[in-house]
Amino acid sequence: QLLLQESGPGLVKPSETLSLTCTVSDDSITNSSFYWGWIRQPPGKGLEWIGNIYHSGSTYYNPSLKSRVIVSVDTARNQFSLRLRSVTAADTAIYYCVRRVSWAAAGTLFDFWGQGTLVTVSS
Amino acid sequence: DIQMTQSPSSVSASVGDRVTITCRASQDISSWLAWYQHQPGKAPKLLIYSASTLQSGVPSRFSGRGSGTDFTLTISSLQPEDFATYYCQQTKSFPYTFGQGTKLEIK
């Protein structure tokens, strides 16, 4: 069974960069069928898709965050990472790493999720 | 962006009850809709895609219906493990957007 595990600091200061890593187990990140990505959920709010990456390094991001986000991949370690710069309190959220699939009759959805990690932006 | 609106935001029910959750899209998304279940402390789980197709391993008491802008998720006979938060997601177009969630609580 595929396992996704987020890791990284739980506290980030305002204006600094949030950095998280997702380790993929029981599947290869180079599997050609999948993209990998990040979704977040601020306290008391809904889910927000952040961005996705393919093992080749091809990325696409939510336009609302695009200017501040970088998602990267490390195929040797079977990991992918999120960097969100210039954070504010509004970036406080649970961050989930996900596997993205696109099926012909189903569109683009997220079939496996990590348990999520809370990142708080505070001085 | 396509806006997704769920109702109600929370609902209380008892084991054995039938519950229906609604999701509305701000524009026609045909059947490009998925539902997820999120139990506290666990990873969210894909339940349904293409509005009505159960993901492998999902119990048959879950069902999805709808097309266009209006969709429903129904649990026919609630089990203790079904008390969770449910989210819809439009799978049609970038950027992918979710409803705000419906929390299903034990009465």
Side-chain angles (χ1 to χ4, degrees), chain B residues 13 17-18 34 36 45 49 52 56 61 64 66 74 76 82 84 88 97:
Chain B
D17 284 353
R18 179 185 180 93
Y36 300 86
K45 174 184 174 183
Y49 59 90
S52 61
S56 176
R61 64 181 179 272
T74 297
S76 60
D82 300 336
C88 61
T97 48

Side-chain angles (χ1 to χ4, degrees), chain B residues 31-104:
Chain B
S31 296
W32 303 97
L33 186 97
W35 289 98
Y36 300 86
Q37 176 194 63
H38 189 198
Q39 297 172 317
K42 294 188 175 182
K45 174 184 174 183
L46 173 65
L47 290 179
I48 288 172
Y49 59 90
S50 299
S52 61
T53 303
L54 262 59
Q55 173 71 331
S56 176
V58 173
S60 59
R61 64 181 179 272
F62 290 90
S63 63
R65 297 188 66 179
S67 66
T69 60
D70 294 317
F71 303 87
T72 59
L73 170 69
T74 297
I75 310 171
S76 60
S77 178
L78 280 169
Q79 299 302 301
E81 61 269 27
D82 300 336
F83 292 95
T85 300
Y86 293 85
Y87 297 92
C88 61
Q89 178 223 334
Q90 62 86 10
T91 66
K92 179 182 180 184
S93 65
F94 170 95
Y96 314 108
T97 48
F98 295 83
Q100 80 280 16
T102 295
K103 186 174 184 179
L104 178 52

